[in-house]
């Protein structure tokens, strides 16, 4: 293999120029003390904080929207079965039919099941569910359990006053939740 003296010379010259530039660049220093531009730093910190707060707010809003949907969307179906079983019982009680006891037990069970389901959903949502809406769901749970207890006490000759009072509380609680939930 034969060396090309011309190519070798050209490569050597380029390396020498590059080395000279590096040495010349390192030879000069800038006097002074490095400092932070406080206006730029303050502006950057404010932008970072605003961006972080916006991201946190968006995350919280999304969690709240999900919690509301997780509770409000199934509420009507969950409580609808309990209302139907209760109405079946009332019809049987008023008519003094032979299946009154079975319908009483079905109504009490359906009311308790609805209360448990609503309570579980509210608990699963935790702090993401707005406090005022969570309270309305809790009021329904309490009223449904109260009505279930009154239904269980009923016999064909029982006075209906306590049952009617408990039923009104459930209706009020149902309406409060439905009024607070977004319309579908």
């Amino acid at each position: 293999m034969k060396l090309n003296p011309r190519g070798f010379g050209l490569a050597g010259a380029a390396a020498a120029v590059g080395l000279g530039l590096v040495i010349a660049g390192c030879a000069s220093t800038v006097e002074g003390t490095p400092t932070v531009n406080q206006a730029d730093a303050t502006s950057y910190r404010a932008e970072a904080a605003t961006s972080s707060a916006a991201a946190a707010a968006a995350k919280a809003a999304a969690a709240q929207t999900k919690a509301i949907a997780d509770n409000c969307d199934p509420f009507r179906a969950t409580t609808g079965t309990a209302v139907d079983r209760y109405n079946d019982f009332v019809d049987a009680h008023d008519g003094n039919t032979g299946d009154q006891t079975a319908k009483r037990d079905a109504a009490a069970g359906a009311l308790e099941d609805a209360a448990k389901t609503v309570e579980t959903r509210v608990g699963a949502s935790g702090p993401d569910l707005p406090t005022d809406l969570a309270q309305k769901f809790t009021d329904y749970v309490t009223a449904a359990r109260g009505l279930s207890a009154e239904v269980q006490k009923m016999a064909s000759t029982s006075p209906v006053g306590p049952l009617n009072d408990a039923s009104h509380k459930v209706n009020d609680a149902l309406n409060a939740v439905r009024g607070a939930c977004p319309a579908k």
Side-chain angles (χ1 to χ4, degrees), residues 142-156:
T142 302
R145 287 195 168 129
L147 182 56
S148 176
E150 289 303 323
V151 167
Q152 290 172 352
K153 296 176 189 176
M154 293 300 292
S156 59

Side-chain angles (χ1 to χ4, degrees), residues 120-179:
T120 299
R121 284 189 187 120
V122 169
S125 295
D128 294 334
L129 190 62
T131 305
D132 60 327
L133 186 56
Q135 185 59 53
K136 286 176 177 37
F137 282 115
T138 301
D139 291 346
Y140 167 78
V141 168
T142 302
R145 287 195 168 129
L147 182 56
S148 176
E150 289 303 323
V151 167
Q152 290 172 352
K153 296 176 189 176
M154 293 300 292
S156 59
T157 58
S158 298
V160 295
L163 182 70
N164 288 338
D165 291 343
S167 177
H168 289 301
K169 288 178 184 174
V170 167
N171 286 334
D172 291 345
L174 282 167
N175 291 331
V177 170
R178 289 176 183 155

Side-chain angles (χ1 to χ4, degrees), residues 49-135:
T50 299
S51 177
S52 178
K59 184 178 178 181
Q64 184 179 70
T65 298
K66 182 181 181 322
I68 290 169
D70 288 351
N71 285 276
C72 287
D73 291 353
F75 184 75
R76 195 173 300 272
T78 299
T79 59
T81 301
V83 169
D84 290 345
R85 295 299 80 76
Y86 175 73
N87 288 336
D88 291 345
F89 163 67
V90 169
D91 290 343
H93 182 270
D94 291 350
N96 201 20
T97 63
D99 60 350
Q100 184 181 155
T101 301
K103 289 187 177 181
R104 177 197 67 203
D105 295 344
L111 286 160
E112 181 57 41
D113 289 346
K116 182 186 275 185
T117 300
V118 170
E119 183 177 55
T120 299
R121 284 189 187 120
V122 169
S125 295
D128 294 334
L129 190 62
T131 305
D132 60 327
L133 186 56
Q135 185 59 53

